[in-house]
Amino acid sequence: MNLTQRISSALAMMFGGGAQLSNRNGFIDGAMSHWNQSVAAPATLAASPGTFTGPIMWRAGAGTGGAGTITVVDLRTSADLAAMEGDDTNSCFKMVITAGSTGTVAARSCGAFFQHIENVARYAGKSVTLQFKLKADAPITIPSVIASQAFGTGGAPSATVVFDKAVSWAVGTSFKKFSVRLDVPSIQPKTLGTAGGDYLEVGFWLPPGVTTTGLYIAEAQIEACSPGANPATDGTGGAPTSYEHRGFQAEQARVSRFFRAIQTNGASFSGIATGASDAFAFGQTLNPPMRATPAPSLTGSWSYTAPAGNSGAVSVIGVTPDMWYLHASGGSYTAGQTGYFGSSAGASVILDARL
């Protein structure tokens, strides 16, 4: 037996068989390093626990009655970098809660940080270790992890299954790994939605009523473990391992299936009028394709200018998981006449297929 086989055998015995040597982390952007656009200032947290804040893979919220912000902290010149295990861990998220939530954990309405993992069958009927590295400006205790299975949309999908788990993670002022074992329910004989969009939801709830000048979140990981792994809920549960470093390029490829911010930054695109009030420009073929047809939008200022100087409102249309186009309408064009689409400095095409 060679060295690789011996390591595989040892891991299988430790973690219940079938443990992966790589690609074991079920989260996308566990290193919190793939913020797809520059963020000059903290983004405001919505009250809803399930809201995307900025162009990230993670959802966060201040909870009912709460208020706060989230931003990225650069760790490259910080002493905190020594606590990180991944070679690509250069940043973390910082949540600031200025008004404590009046919601409750039981009602799933307090502050939260979590991710929707594509495919509700992921880990179904198995046990996993959920882990985060956390610190806070002042001690704070995380009361519960978030865990649920959603079965998609369309048709008559089964109701969401919630299996949140109470924990007592005493977060201090230095980064520390907190982990817990989750036993994920089987999804048989559940019914999936005909339009897709099913997912496994995992993260943690913030304590109701609590404010903080900084809760810092880094190196999130979820991976399969033995059902006999440590059941402790004090932050030492499950079978935690070192954070998996997949590399920036591999991680960005995962992110791009869900979210793309294509920065045009003042570029111009040739277009052609197909009628008196319609002009088009080919945008881009997306490779690899996105998870599903994304919701398109534009940031910055855009215009379409025809030779006669007639402009029109610009939008993104013809969007599929692997293609998008620019479209101008409302001008006065001549069919077959060429023009150009112009964008302002810092402008972007946003394609959002996040769960």
Side-chain angles (χ1 to χ4, degrees):
M1 183 182 290
N2 62 34
L3 179 60
T4 299
Q5 290 171 326
R6 290 177 181 176
I7 294 173
S8 297
S9 178
L11 286 171
M13 288 187 290
M14 290 172 63
F15 303 128
Q20 295 176 238
L21 290 176
S22 62
N23 295 319
R24 66 185 190 277
N25 189 356
F27 285 132
I28 296 177
D29 191 24
M32 322 295 176
S33 298
H34 295 264
W35 191 277
N36 282 269
Q37 294 174 307
S38 297
V39 177
T44 300
L45 287 171
S48 169
T51 303
F52 283 116
T53 304
I56 61 177
M57 287 300 298
W58 294 89
R59 291 173 176 258
T64 301
T69 60
I70 186 170
T71 192
V72 173
V73 176
D74 191 335
L75 297 177
R76 288 175 295 175
T77 59
S78 168
D80 286 325
L81 189 64
M84 302 299 125
E85 297 170 306
D87 293 342
D88 65 340
T89 305
N90 296 319
S91 59
C92 69
F93 284 124
K94 176 184 179 181
M95 291 182 71
V96 175
I97 303 298
T98 54
S101 172
T102 57
T104 66
V105 172
R108 308 188 95 226
S109 58
C110 48
F113 183 85
F114 58 97
Q115 186 173 122
H116 289 169
I117 299 174
E118 185 179 16
N119 184 6
V120 71
R122 190 76 179 269
Y123 306 120
K126 301 176 182 178
S127 295
V128 296
T129 298
L130 172 66
Q131 62 187 56
F132 292 90
K133 281 210 178 78
L134 303 172
K135 80 165 191 172
D137 288 341
I140 186 172
T141 299
I142 300 300
S144 175
V145 296
I146 294 170
S148 71
Q149 294 166 315
F151 295 90
T153 61
S158 296
T160 297
V161 173
V162 175
F163 58 107
D164 293 353
K165 185 171 183 177
V167 297
S168 182
W169 291 357
V171 180
T173 55
S174 297
F175 270 112
K176 177 183 174 182
K177 183 183 292 185
F178 292 87
S179 62
V180 68
R181 190 191 83 206
L182 284 175
D183 300 319
V184 184
S186 170
I187 63 169
Q188 297 176 351
K190 300 293 186 180
T191 301
L192 298 176
T194 56
D198 52 279
Y199 57 82
L200 172 67
E201 176 183 75
V202 191
F204 59 84
W205 296 111
L206 275 63
V210 170
T211 61
T212 178
T213 58
L215 172 65
Y216 303 83
I217 308 159
E219 294 196 329
Q221 186 150 296
I222 183 172
E223 60 183 305
C225 71
S226 166
N230 187 354
T233 57
D234 61 357
T236 63
T241 63
S242 294
Y243 177 74
E244 180 189 45
H245 165 64
R246 282 193 289 239
F248 190 93
Q249 184 174 11
E251 203 69 36
Q252 187 61 40
R254 288 170 166 81
V255 173
S256 68
R257 291 193 65 245
F258 297 84
F259 186 92
R260 300 190 189 200
I262 303 161
Q263 296 190 357
T264 56
N265 201 27
S268 296
F269 302 84
S270 295
I272 187 167
T274 57
S277 60
D278 290 288
F280 295 87
F282 175 70
Q284 184 182 36
T285 299
L286 302 173
N287 187 21
M290 300 190 73
R291 176 193 68 83
T293 298
S297 61
L298 297 171
T299 66
S301 299
W302 290 77
S303 63
Y304 179 73
T305 304
N310 300 308
S311 62
V314 179
S315 61
V316 182
I317 68 166
V319 180
T320 67
D322 58 4
M323 190 170 292
W324 59 273
Y325 294 88
L326 290 172
H327 175 244
S329 62
S332 179
Y333 316 128
T334 300
Q337 195 172 58
T338 59
Y340 68 90
F341 289 82
S343 62
S344 63
S348 297
V349 177
I350 304 297
L351 302 174
D352 190 347
R354 293 175 294 181
L355 284 165

